[in-house]
Amino acid sequence: MQVQNATDICGLTPGLRGGASPHHVPSAPAGIQHTTVAREATPAFNAYSPQRQRPVAPPATLRSARALFVSVVASVVALVAAPAAGASRGQYGGTLRVALTGELGQTDPLLSDTPTDATLLSLTTRAVCALDREHRPVPTLALALDRESPTRVRLTLRPGLRTSDGVALTAQQVAQAWMRASQLESRSPYRALLFPLRGEGRYLSPASTLSLSLALAFPWPDLEASLCHPALAIAPSDPHHLPGPGLGPFTPTRAIGIDVANWGYPGGRPYAERLFATAGDQRTAARTLALGEADVGLGVTADGLEAVPPAPALFATYLAFQPGRTGPGFRDHLERLVDRGDLVRIFVRAPSVPMSSLLPPALMTQQPAPHGVSRTPPPGRELTLLYDAAIADQRAVAERLQVKLHDAGYQVALKAVSRTTLRARWADGDFDLMLHALLLPPLPAPALAVVIDAAGRHDLLAKELPAIGAITHDADRDARVRERARALQPQLAFIPLYAQSLEVVRRPEVLGIEADAFGLPQLDGAFFASPPEAK
């Protein structure tokens, strides 16, 4: 085998998958002794860096080179393997058909925070890194994330990357994508992920075309992991600050819902040649699966399909309120009247769990729900509850809250709005009540930062985060976060309700789907158990 250039070694060669999907390793052919080489704990931090249990994983170049060697050996041996062995290996080709509940067409990473939207967007747009099962950052679009000191990180992009519309990916594009989180027209609670940076990440300046030096205002050991959040995916913007196509395992076409394999993706091309997604309500998606017109279902159940093991529930929904508009005693009335267990069991689709603490059960033990003390609200209190028109669960929950609050004397009107409008009303503080859902990071410290900002207390970040970031040991830092979450909860006008993960079902012949650290199914790892031409 002749290697033409460096891109062959880095996993860009069609037919070879690199490190973009760190959890997915196709099975070895039947009868072949497969030896797994453990990833060595290559230190990603120098002597300036605090000791960490979650170091940055080795760059994909080294791993792809090893994967290339293993792949070549396995391919040679597979030539003499039994024909039945083909059913256990990843098969390239075919069209993966996906049915989902919701809508298609969301292209802004800052607004694609439902699990379904984030899953679809991750097909065509990725962050500079991904988190493996141990929550270690694995460079994807980045060549390296180097911790030069406790308060400085250097991001180096892979050379030669281009977005699906041919734009060269540069450090300036990365900086612009991140700075959108703090800009007035696109302000987002995910800006809290960048708060440890000097200037809160609003004034990033690349050191070179492919290098971005990140200076921190205080030590924050979880910065690298924070940069892997799907909301910080790199989607270059046009002059009007609208996100454009990014660089992911698939390339979008002019037709909404149809993507084709990106053979130039740094982690290696996906198995499927095309991906075709259709959206609708739960009944429509279930019927599509039942008729055999889809191979994978997102957020839907159907008979005869196999469920992918559920991921941790990190999509958390809160009720935000303005104390000046609701009047005194609102929290007490809500806690007295609303049973989170009933709310989840009757009105929220599974997999879901009640959430009575500021962070979901995947991140902290839930404390007992407080029992509110009944008080009589001021007469004639009229409120409007805003919710996301694209999330069916939120409508059901809003209607339930409306009924329960009526028993306490509140007259609540419901108003469904677009996610863009919802986020703008949040940013301006222009609401009485609001259902606010967030895709939280799988690490307690950055998750708490996002929740504090979403609760409208951006001012608290400067007080809380430096003390948390000063704790270098992961377990001690996580314990401190949980302690502060319990202390802050009564102070925030942000009432936790429930957390969800994405339900994923597949036809038996579709293999290789695993969830990442954020609970999102990695569809670029999906392959058919039999050759696509036999389907």
Side-chain angles (χ1 to χ4, degrees):
M1 177 178 180
Q2 183 178 0
V3 178
Q4 299 293 334
N5 51 45
T7 59
D8 293 325
I9 300 178
C10 294
L12 303 184
T13 305
L16 297 176
R17 286 186 56 80
S21 182
H23 311 325
H24 174 73
V25 180
S27 303
I32 302 301
Q33 183 69 30
H34 181 76
T35 302
T36 301
V37 180
R39 183 186 291 119
E40 74 279 9
T42 302
F45 300 91
N46 60 17
Y48 292 103
S49 178
Q51 181 180 0
R52 286 183 51 81
Q53 298 174 358
R54 292 188 288 259
V56 175
T61 303
L62 178 60
R63 291 183 286 110
S64 296
R66 290 174 177 165
L68 175 62
F69 174 76
V70 173
S71 177
V72 171
V73 174
S75 299
V76 173
V77 178
L79 294 175
V80 296
S88 65
R89 299 195 306 274
Q91 302 291 329
Y92 288 96
T95 298
L96 186 68
R97 302 166 301 170
V98 180
L100 58 101
T101 57
E103 300 177 352
L104 296 174
Q106 182 59 260
T107 60
D108 188 346
L110 294 174
L111 296 175
S112 301
D113 45 8
T114 70
T116 299
D117 286 340
T119 296
L120 292 180
L121 193 66
S122 71
L123 298 173
T124 57
T125 301
R126 287 287 173 95
V128 297
C129 56
L131 292 183
D132 66 12
R133 288 177 176 174
E134 288 73 39
H135 299 160
R136 299 180 305 177
V138 179
T140 51
L141 303 185
L143 184 65
L145 284 167
D146 298 317
R147 176 73 69 149
E148 298 178 338
S149 76
T151 57
R152 187 171 294 276
V153 174
R154 180 171 295 277
L155 163 68
T156 305
L157 289 176
R158 294 177 181 274
L161 295 180
R162 291 185 175 274
T163 62
S164 53
D165 57 355
V167 177
L169 189 63
T170 65
Q172 183 62 38
Q173 294 278 16
V174 173
Q176 291 175 348
W178 289 347
M179 288 189 292
R180 288 188 64 248
S182 296
Q183 293 170 353
L184 183 61
E185 65 274 14
S186 54
R187 196 182 315 162
S188 166
Y190 299 110
R191 63 182 175 175
L193 298 171
L194 301 173
F195 182 85
L197 299 177
R198 290 182 184 173
E200 303 179 21
R202 293 192 296 262
Y203 313 107
L204 298 175
S205 179
S208 67
T209 303
L210 298 177
S211 178
L212 187 61
S213 182
L214 305 175
L216 284 71
F218 52 86
W220 189 251
D222 291 317
L223 177 68
E224 292 87 343
S226 298
L227 300 179
C228 303
H229 195 287
L232 299 183
I234 308 306
S237 302
D238 64 16
H240 300 289
H241 304 288
L242 298 176
L247 197 156
F250 286 87
T251 298
T253 65
R254 293 182 179 274
I256 296 177
I258 300 179
D259 302 326
V260 296
N262 177 12
W263 285 29
Y265 181 61
R269 58 156 290 188
Y271 286 113
E273 291 179 350
R274 291 172 298 278
L275 187 141
F276 177 52
T278 57
D281 57 23
Q282 194 167 16
R283 179 177 297 181
T284 301
R287 179 174 175 79
T288 301
L289 289 164
L291 294 176
E293 297 174 353
D295 306 301
V296 177
L298 303 180
V300 63
T301 58
D303 295 335
L305 274 70
E306 299 183 9
V308 175
L314 294 172
F315 185 57
T317 298
Y318 301 81
L319 178 65
F321 65 96
Q322 294 284 12
R325 301 188 185 187
T326 60
F330 176 80
R331 186 195 302 271
D332 291 333
H333 281 296
L334 186 91
E335 296 290 2
R336 178 174 60 87
L337 295 169
V338 176
D339 186 311
R340 291 173 174 82
D342 288 343
L343 197 67
V344 166
R345 184 170 57 255
I346 303 173
F347 301 99
V348 181
R349 286 180 296 179
S352 58
V353 292
M355 186 172 61
S356 56
S357 294
L358 202 56
L359 299 181
L363 299 177
M364 70 178 294
T365 302
Q366 300 298 286
Q367 55 191 353
H371 298 286
V373 179
S374 177
R375 295 189 181 95
T376 302
R381 181 71 65 175
E382 297 181 358
L383 305 170
T384 299
L385 172 56
L386 305 179
Y387 66 92
D388 193 327
I391 304 178
D393 290 349
Q394 285 201 8
R395 177 179 179 83
V397 170
E399 291 174 347
R400 181 62 171 174
L401 296 178
Q402 181 188 44
V403 171
K404 286 296 186 179
L405 289 172
H406 181 271
D407 296 340
Y410 295 94
Q411 302 298 317
V412 180
L414 305 183
K415 185 175 182 179
V417 297
S418 68
R419 195 167 308 153
T420 301
T421 299
L422 194 72
R423 193 61 55 79
R425 297 282 291 270
W426 164 83
D428 294 336
D430 183 19
F431 63 92
D432 303 331
L433 305 172
M434 173 187 292
L435 287 178
H436 200 159
L438 300 163
L439 181 60
L440 296 179
L443 301 177
L448 180 62
V450 172
V451 170
I452 290 175
D453 202 342
R457 294 302 306 273
H458 186 79
D459 58 296
L460 283 179
L461 296 179
K463 177 181 178 181
E464 298 290 338
L465 298 196
I468 292 173
I471 304 174
T472 58
H473 192 272
D474 291 348
D476 294 341
R477 185 168 63 258
D478 293 348
R480 174 65 174 174
V481 169
R482 297 179 182 109
E483 175 187 331
R484 293 308 302 156
R486 287 188 288 268
L488 290 171
Q489 184 169 341
Q491 306 175 33
L492 302 179
F494 212 55
I495 302 175
L497 296 177
Y498 56 91
Q500 298 169 280
S501 59
L502 182 62
E503 185 170 24
V504 182
V505 295
R506 60 176 177 82
R507 303 190 70 80
E509 63 268 24
V510 177
L511 305 175
I513 299 179
E514 296 184 4
D516 66 6
F518 294 91
L520 308 179
Q522 301 298 283
L523 298 181
D524 55 306
F527 61 90
F528 295 102
S530 57
E533 57 270 19
K535 283 179 55 62

